[in-house]
Amino acid sequence: MKNKICRISSVLLLCAVFAGSAGAAEKLKVLTSFLPMYAHTKSITGDLADVQMFIDKDADPHDYEFKPSDVKKVLAADLFIANGAGLEIWLKGLLEKSGNPKLKVVNTSEGISLMDNPKEFFKGSAREEEEANDGSNKNPHVWLDPVLAQRQTENILAALVQADPKNADAYKKNAEAYLVKLKKLDEGYRSAMDKLANKNLVTFHDAFPYLAKRYGFNYLGCIAQFPEQDPKPGELKSLVQLIQKNHVKVIFAENGYSPKLLSEVAKQTGATVSEIDTLEIGTPDANAYLKRMGDNLASFEKAWKP
Ligand SMILES: [Zn+2]
């Protein structure tokens, strides 16, 4: 009898070990380029897939320099979820370097009509010429519009269902619940913005044209097209004049980037500086998008309240 129990226990133990390792091995391996892609994907998969944020939490997704260890990560992955729209300019080189034939890259901006970088503010400047010459003047910041975020989430869902059909039902159910929350976020923006008269937006970098268009902000301009570029002196002067002409009271600095230049503009114009979040950097968290876009709404309301 004792012997029999022993035998049964070892069989059970063996089975348990086998099931454990097989279960882990079968999980779909998903890399997500940066925070919003991580949040949408993780909200759909929960723990059913192995989801990682690809760039470091403090790295700039516009301008990422990949490391040898990144090539290994890509080699082991099944899916790479990218924002697309020209954000991950480093991805092509990385994919060539890693040469993973089974990897599927998902462009979550597929089907979204892209905006050009706003030109009015830089009209006639050297920058306008630069952009016209390299032909890459599409603005990649689609994720900052909660309606377009729903489209990106649907694109992510479709890719997950195709890559991992055994979990399709769970993914669809989770995505449905997440999309309800994104719709609520959108409704929150709409009802708050309806009550505000002055929605003059001046930001640090050119991250909010989609959001501005969606909710009828008066997007006046930004300090730098990309976080690492300083404006040319003439551009700064026209921005200062624009701010004064429109009686802008609050300009927005960005989480993670030095607002020195912005503070200088504030000083010259008498505007105060508030903070807004592009979601480009930060710790991976499934709720990050909803939480931080909600915080942005609170910032706008506070800055623009009559
Ligand atoms: Zn950006």
Side-chain angles (χ1 to χ4, degrees):
M1 183 65 184
K2 201 177 162 197
N3 223 348
K4 201 177 171 189
I5 291 172
C6 266
R7 262 209 329 269
I8 292 173
S9 320
S10 11
V11 168
L12 283 177
L13 189 68
L14 262 176
C15 284
V17 167
F18 180 72
S21 61
E26 280 167 17
K27 272 193 185 181
L28 189 74
K29 286 196 170 59
V30 188
L31 295 175
T32 59
S33 64
F34 78 127
L35 184 65
M37 298 302 107
Y38 177 88
H40 301 334
T41 306
K42 187 71 181 170
S43 295
I44 299 174
T45 63
D47 291 329
L48 293 171
D50 171 8
V51 181
Q52 284 182 42
M53 188 163 90
F54 182 72
I55 64 169
D56 190 74
K57 66 179 176 54
D58 303 315
D60 175 0
H62 287 286
D63 193 20
Y64 182 66
E65 282 176 30
F66 58 86
K67 310 178 286 278
S69 58
D70 290 334
V71 175
K72 275 190 206 150
K73 273 197 248 172
V74 170
L75 260 176
D78 301 302
L79 281 184
F80 193 108
I81 311 280
N83 179 73
L87 178 73
E88 297 97 343
I89 43 172
W90 39 269
L91 187 56
K92 193 166 172 263
L94 176 68
L95 295 174
E96 280 166 11
K97 191 110 183 168
S98 65
N100 174 355
K102 70 174 172 84
L103 182 78
K104 188 172 183 303
V105 178
V106 181
N107 170 14
T108 62
S109 299
E110 203 171 280
I112 292 175
S113 123
L114 299 178
M115 292 167 75
D116 288 340
N117 281 315
K119 283 244 164 52
E120 309 82 67
F121 174 59
F122 299 119
K123 226 174 186 78
S125 72
R127 177 163 299 153
E128 188 186 28
E129 245 168 72
E130 276 166 29
E131 286 185 350
N133 289 339
D134 73 8
S136 58
N137 66 341
K138 295 294 177 197
N139 193 303
H141 301 89
V142 291
W143 70 89
L144 289 164
D145 172 352
V147 175
L148 298 182
Q150 293 169 43
R151 185 66 190 259
Q152 292 189 290
T153 299
E154 284 161 1
N155 285 340
I156 295 170
L157 172 65
L160 288 169
V161 164
Q162 196 183 32
D164 189 14
K166 71 177 185 306
N167 286 315
D169 287 347
Y171 291 157
K172 283 178 193 163
K173 198 169 151 250
N174 293 344
E176 216 170 284
Y178 187 63
L179 285 164
V180 167
K181 291 178 189 170
L182 289 174
K183 281 184 188 122
K184 277 205 181 121
L185 179 71
D186 168 45
E187 283 159 18
Y189 268 81
R190 281 177 207 278
S191 64
M193 290 308 140
D194 281 351
K195 294 177 197 123
L196 299 171
N198 172 353
K199 285 169 272 189
N200 283 331
L201 183 65
V202 176
T203 58
F204 182 56
H205 93 288
D206 189 13
F208 296 94
Y210 295 92
L211 186 80
K213 188 180 173 202
R214 178 72 57 197
Y215 302 115
F217 298 176
N218 182 24
Y219 185 35
L220 292 174
C222 62
I223 304 287
Q225 190 196 353
F226 294 121
E228 264 74 51
Q229 278 175 359
D230 285 346
K232 295 171 178 74
E235 292 169 353
L236 198 60
K237 200 176 144 213
S238 10
L239 184 60
V240 165
Q241 285 166 351
L242 205 62
I243 290 171
Q244 287 166 335
K245 201 179 108 197
N246 286 278
H247 310 288
V248 175
K249 291 190 183 65
V250 182
I251 54 182
F252 292 94
E254 280 159 30
N255 183 338
Y257 297 109
S258 156
K260 202 176 127 218
L261 203 59
L262 204 96
S263 306
E264 181 55 38
V265 172
K267 213 171 86 188
Q268 288 185 35
T269 57
T272 57
V273 176
S274 179
E275 208 168 81
I276 198 161
D277 186 355
T278 62
L279 282 74
E280 287 177 8
I281 56 173
T283 309
D285 169 12
N287 287 318
Y289 186 84
L290 292 164
K291 161 85 176 60
R292 290 168 62 173
M293 287 299 289
D295 291 348
N296 275 349
L297 175 56
S299 271
F300 289 129
E301 283 187 276
K302 196 172 161 220
W304 293 336
K305 69 170 183 278

